[in-house]
Amino acid sequence: RRLGTGSSALSNFRRIYGAKGFVKLLLVELVRDILPILIGGLLMGIKGQAAVGRAFAGFCLVMGRLYPVFYDLKGSHAIICMLVVMAFVNFSGALAVLLFVVLGIWLTKYVSLGAVAGAAVMCIASLLLVDDPLVMKLALFAGLAVLVRHIPAVSRMLSGRETKLSFEEDISYKLDNKF
């Protein structure tokens, strides 16, 4: 968080450490998101509610990514977490979320817009594809939380102050060291 833009997002990490560092952190993020969801499913599976356990663990993960206590409630975009949660709730819905996230980022170069597009699709997919009412509500609330968290980013995009995704490595932080 002390380097680059100061964000804890993967895009900032990629800017600083390059593609290899990005892939390594992405794998760690995936494992870090999958394990609690599996544990939630196992714990609630004892009562025959494994899907609810996975959805609740996923909702908690999204909230933890968006509003981390240790970073003054300033979190990341939660895109990876949102995709993992949707994959455990409804896999075809996760593919739709992934498609819109990738298209949003690729077409506009705004990571926040990709997150907003993915969150909107997650809300719609939750309403249309999930049968269990509690699982549907948890997935819907996770998507809504991502949308609400990105309201400031949307206003920055509209005013032209939001940073676009760049594939150039940022080395400006190296100039901050005293010689």
Side-chain angles (χ1 to χ4, degrees), residues 77 79 105 110-117 150 153-154 156-157 162-163:
H77 299 286
I79 294 172
I105 295 172
Y110 287 120
V111 176
S112 295
L113 191 60
V116 167
H150 283 83
V154 170
R156 284 192 307 272
M157 277 186 273
E162 180 73 2
T163 307

Side-chain angles (χ1 to χ4, degrees), residues 15-122:
R15 244 183 257 116
I16 296 167
Y17 296 104
K20 286 183 183 179
F22 173 79
V23 170
K24 288 177 186 176
L25 183 62
L26 180 62
L27 292 174
V28 169
E29 289 283 326
L30 286 171
V31 170
R32 193 172 83 168
D33 289 344
I34 290 171
L35 283 177
I37 292 174
L38 290 175
I39 291 170
L42 288 172
L43 290 174
M44 289 296 290
I46 295 169
K47 296 290 185 180
Q49 296 291 326
V52 172
R54 289 189 299 268
F56 182 70
F59 172 75
C60 292
L61 279 169
V62 169
M63 295 305 289
R65 286 287 188 284
L66 295 174
Y67 303 103
V69 174
F70 299 112
Y71 293 131
D72 298 326
L73 304 179
K74 296 176 184 169
S76 67
H77 299 286
I79 294 172
I80 304 300
C81 187
M82 184 175 58
L83 285 167
V84 170
V85 170
M86 198 61 197
F88 279 95
V89 169
N90 185 288
F91 192 74
S92 60
L95 293 175
V97 171
L98 177 63
L99 176 69
F100 276 82
V101 166
V102 169
L103 281 175
I105 295 172
W106 185 54
L107 293 174
T108 66
K109 302 294 187 257
Y110 287 120
V111 176
S112 295
L113 191 60
V116 167
V121 171
M122 182 173 179

